[in-house]
Amino acid sequence: MYPQIITYLLTFIKYQDQVIRTLLTLLIGKSMFDKPVEKPVNKPYRKLQVDDLPIIETLQKFDYKLLLNEYQEKNGKPLKPVRRHSNSKTTVPSSIKCPKCGAPSDFLYANNGDKGQYQCKVCTCLFNQKNHYSKEAILKCPHCAKTLEKVKERKDFDVFKCKNNDCSYYQKKQNGLSSKEKKQFKKDPQAFKMRYIFRQFRIDYQPLSKRSPQKPKLDLSRLYVSPHTLGLILTYHVNYGLSARKTAALMKDVHGVSISHQSILNYENSVALMLKPYVDHYPYELSDQFCGDETYIRVKGRWHYLFFFFDAVKKIILSYPVSPNRDTQSAILAIDEVLLKMKEIPKNLTFIVDGNPIYLLAQHFFAQHDISFDVKQVIGLTNEDPVSTEYRPLKQIIERLNRTFKGNYRSTHGFGSDHGSVSFVTLFVAYFNFLRPHSALEGKVPVIHPELLQLPNMPARWTKLIGLAQDWIIEQTT
């Protein structure tokens, strides 16, 4: 009886749905299944522009005790504290000191009553509690020398803008608008960049800071497999992109070695921890053509970003950080790893990247630390500007590297931890730089190491590479 009731209810619900749709069609005047006539509005984002650095005026600090001594020597009498009227309602809290010379509250005037502005009698500094003189520096527009105003706070930086209408930068931008652009500017001023803008970064990161290699807290000699077996596992898992389960099955079916897929992942993490300092600190011979891009990888069920920076001539991967965010700080870290591998930063250094604005912001961050380089952005898939036309081949090279990595990464179906993703990428970079022959290099590996070339097969080369990394770390730490 119950199946008949269920069938009846489903039929009744479908009939109700048809009646509701018919009534709505009659009331609205058109069918609910009609496609909308309105076309979506195509409003592209304004392209990010990075201006020159501002004028930075550092503020001078004094010692009020020395100023009081100078006053007494000059005038023959000491400078007396502020004399306040007995019936005055305005007081200066004892906790407030002059931010310029450090004078106590006895030498401070309540300059505008109880509204919070003070003036120092010793150094004549005018300040208030919300806008202290004790800022590290004053930022001024390089075009009109007017003080910049902070207008926005972003995740990694503060945005300062010159609001002077007589600024030569603003006047030049206004005079350069066509009549059509002037009409559009009145309707939508946000679509145009008219004023000088400076971005002051709040990232607690020092570029080009040398990081000493650390000796891993593990001993590969204690593994339960022989060096040749470990070389076989890395060859199947890294070189040929087989998953850990397929590698374990292959070791069992072909070589008669019973091993679990989790043991293979553990070996991968141990070897990556040993190889990473060697790969990162190796003295590479570099060219002058560098390109960078980011690609997606899956970590703990979420998309992360792998930033590759690549020597397009030598075919060497120089930077490979994995980050959960596609932000400016990740781009800064990726470029910094490239700069650390250079013996000397060339004057005409150029990075070829895509249209992501984080690379321009990273360029601006390094410029604030007196590290200069140029960034060329290849926009889109077609060459619609001279820069994209000239540098498209370099951009295609880094895209080819991404496809090569994805061919090896695809079998993993993502990673269960951040450590696992870094380990896999590290092993891929070690294989790509030291072991993988490249067709553009006439079948040679990017980094030619005589001790690796003379070995007969790939498992032996993996074992030798691990030994070289161990010896190098011991040498550096001792």
Side-chain angles (χ1 to χ4, degrees):
M1 182 175 178
Y2 287 106
Q4 296 177 351
I5 295 175
I6 294 174
T7 304
Y8 171 76
L9 291 175
L10 290 175
T11 305
F12 184 72
I13 291 172
K14 290 181 181 180
Y15 176 74
Q16 278 186 325
D17 182 65
Q18 292 179 356
V19 172
I20 292 172
R21 290 178 180 273
T22 304
L23 292 174
L24 287 174
T25 302
L26 294 174
L27 293 173
I28 298 174
K30 59 180 180 179
S31 176
M32 294 181 63
F33 301 100
D34 292 342
K35 294 183 178 180
V37 181
E38 297 84 2
K39 295 182 179 179
V41 178
N42 183 17
K43 188 176 181 180
Y45 287 102
R46 188 181 72 200
K47 185 179 178 181
L48 176 69
Q49 300 178 34
V50 179
D51 296 323
D52 298 331
L53 293 177
I55 300 172
I56 302 176
E57 289 188 0
T58 56
L59 303 176
Q60 193 173 6
K61 297 292 185 69
F62 298 96
D63 186 352
Y64 79 97
K65 296 180 181 180
L66 296 178
L67 295 178
L68 291 176
N69 291 335
E70 292 176 2
Y71 181 87
Q72 186 172 3
E73 291 177 1
K74 182 179 179 181
N75 299 279
K77 59 180 179 179
L79 181 66
K80 296 181 180 180
V82 176
R83 183 180 177 184
R84 309 188 195 281
H85 296 286
S86 58
N87 58 352
S88 176
K89 296 181 181 180
T90 58
T91 58
V92 179
S94 58
S95 59
I96 296 180
K97 296 182 180 180
C98 174
K100 184 176 180 180
C101 68
S105 59
D106 294 340
F107 291 92
L108 301 181
Y109 292 106
N111 198 52
N112 62 345
D114 57 352
K115 295 183 180 179
Q117 189 182 69
Y118 307 101
Q119 185 174 19
C120 178
K121 187 177 181 180
V122 181
C123 64
T124 68
C125 173
L126 190 67
F127 66 96
N128 59 56
Q129 287 182 295
K130 294 182 179 180
N131 183 20
H132 280 278
Y133 176 91
S134 56
K135 293 184 296 183
E136 292 183 359
I138 294 178
L139 305 175
K140 293 188 175 182
C141 175
H143 304 278
C144 64
K146 296 291 185 180
T147 303
L148 302 179
E149 296 184 27
K150 186 167 75 171
V151 294
K152 293 179 183 177
E153 292 184 2
R154 299 301 189 193
K155 177 184 176 183
D156 298 324
F157 54 86
D158 298 326
V159 181
F160 291 82
K161 180 185 290 187
C162 175
K163 293 188 176 182
N164 179 23
N165 292 333
D166 296 327
C167 178
S168 59
Y169 183 93
Y170 179 70
Q171 294 294 334
K172 183 178 179 181
K173 286 285 187 177
Q174 271 200 330
N175 296 333
L177 295 177
S178 63
S179 57
K180 182 179 179 181
E181 290 175 335
K182 288 181 180 179
K183 294 180 181 178
Q184 186 180 356
F185 176 70
K186 291 181 179 179
K187 295 180 180 179
D188 186 16
Q190 301 297 328
F192 296 85
K193 182 184 179 299
M194 304 296 293
R195 298 185 182 274
Y196 172 83
I197 291 177
F198 170 69
R199 297 168 181 86
Q200 187 178 49
F201 288 88
R202 290 179 273 100
I203 299 174
D204 186 17
Y205 180 77
Q206 291 297 325
L208 296 181
S209 57
K210 298 292 184 179
R211 293 174 287 275
S212 300
Q214 296 181 358
K215 186 177 180 180
K217 297 179 181 179
L218 56 94
D219 187 1
L220 293 178
S221 63
R222 295 184 178 180
L223 297 180
Y224 293 104
V225 296
S226 65
H228 179 70
T229 302
L230 180 61
L232 280 173
I233 291 172
L234 294 175
T235 300
Y236 293 140
H237 186 51
V238 181
N239 297 33
Y240 296 102
L242 298 181
S243 65
R245 294 183 183 275
K246 285 187 178 181
T247 303
L250 190 62
M251 294 298 297
K252 174 70 174 178
D253 298 341
V254 177
H255 301 282
V257 178
S258 180
I259 188 172
S260 67
H261 76 281
Q262 185 59 50
S263 296
I264 291 176
L265 295 178
N266 294 340
Y267 296 159
E268 170 188 300
N269 293 334
S270 300
V271 174
L273 187 61
M274 180 67 67
L275 289 178
K276 185 170 177 56
Y278 185 71
V279 172
D280 290 346
H281 293 80
Y282 191 86
Y284 297 104
E285 295 293 333
L286 305 178
S287 70
D288 58 351
Q289 298 185 26
F290 305 97
C291 47
D293 194 15
E294 66 277 356
T295 186
Y296 297 92
I297 61 174
R298 198 81 171 173
V299 181
K300 293 188 291 188
R302 295 181 178 274
W303 287 116
H304 282 49
Y305 304 92
L306 170 60
F307 288 78
F308 272 137
F309 271 84
F310 188 61
D311 188 322
V313 177
K314 299 290 187 176
K315 310 301 178 186
I316 298 174
I317 300 174
L318 301 174
S319 179
Y320 52 97
V322 178
S323 173
N325 302 312
R326 196 181 193 177
D327 56 6
T328 305
Q329 189 166 0
S330 302
I332 290 172
L333 175 61
I335 294 176
D336 188 53
E337 290 187 0
V338 179
L339 299 177
L340 282 169
K341 294 178 176 61
M342 296 181 179
K343 299 176 181 178
E344 184 179 356
I345 300 177
K347 294 182 179 179
N348 58 346
L349 176 62
T350 303
F351 291 103
I352 313 303
V353 294
D354 57 15
N356 197 325
I358 60 176
Y359 297 110
L360 291 178
L361 295 174
Q363 178 194 21
H364 202 47
F365 170 82
F366 282 101
Q368 295 178 30
H369 291 80
D370 298 325
I371 302 172
S372 300
F373 54 83
D374 196 8
V375 172
K376 301 293 184 182
Q377 292 189 304
V378 180
I379 309 296
L381 301 176
T382 57
N383 298 328
E384 298 181 358
D385 57 271
V387 175
S388 298
T389 303
E390 182 179 358
Y391 295 101
R392 176 73 61 181
L394 292 177
K395 183 65 169 60
Q396 291 174 338
I397 289 175
I398 192 67
E399 293 290 355
R400 182 68 184 89
L401 171 63
N402 286 339
R403 291 196 296 272
T404 302
F405 170 77
K406 284 298 182 70
N408 288 46
Y409 155 78
R410 193 170 292 111
S411 64
T412 65
H413 302 290
F415 305 97
S417 66
D418 296 329
H419 182 65
S421 64
V422 174
S423 297
F424 183 86
V425 175
T426 300
L427 292 180
F428 172 81
V429 173
Y431 160 66
F432 193 95
N433 288 354
F434 293 91
L435 303 176
R436 180 181 181 272
H438 205 289
S439 59
L441 301 175
E442 299 179 354
K444 299 179 181 179
V445 295
V447 181
I448 298 177
H449 204 297
E451 295 187 53
L452 296 175
L453 292 177
Q454 63 186 6
L455 297 174
N457 52 46
M458 190 59 67
R461 292 175 186 174
W462 268 113
T463 305
K464 184 62 179 178
L465 182 61
I466 295 171
L468 292 174
Q470 284 180 316
D471 296 340
W472 182 84
I473 291 174
I474 294 173
E475 179 184 352
Q476 294 296 319
T477 53
T478 57

